């Protein structure tokens, strides 16, 4: 799931797996949002320039 955040344009990939993300009371979506928060948010502002490339 974390790989979705490392794509140049994650929108298409997320759209392709949306049903999986929304299943089970959106559990996977919550996880994806938590990972995005950890990766991109500083204080209360998201900053995509902080993207870590592993």
């Amino acid at each position: 799931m974390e790989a979705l955040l490392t794509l140049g344009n994650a929108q298409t990939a997320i759209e392709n797996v949306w049903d999986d993300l929304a299943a089970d009371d959106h559990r996977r979506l919550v996880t994806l949002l938590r990972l995005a928060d950890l990766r991109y948010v500083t204080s209360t502002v998201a900053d995509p320039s902080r993207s870590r490339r592993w």
Side-chain angles (χ1 to χ4, degrees):
M1 192 170 329
E2 191 168 351
L4 289 172
L5 299 175
T6 64
L7 301 173
N9 181 357
Q11 180 177 345
T12 301
I14 291 172
E15 288 173 352
N16 289 336
V17 297
W18 183 256
D19 289 339
D20 291 332
L21 293 172
D24 196 20
D25 199 29
H26 296 90
R27 186 167 302 185
R28 291 185 179 125
L29 178 59
V30 170
T31 299
L32 182 63
L33 293 173
R34 182 181 53 79
L35 291 170
D37 181 59
L38 290 170
R39 180 179 287 241
Y40 298 112
V41 175
T42 58
S43 184
T44 58
V45 178
D47 182 2
S49 69
R50 288 179 32 109
S51 176
R52 295 181 211 138
R53 305 278 184 203
W54 289 308

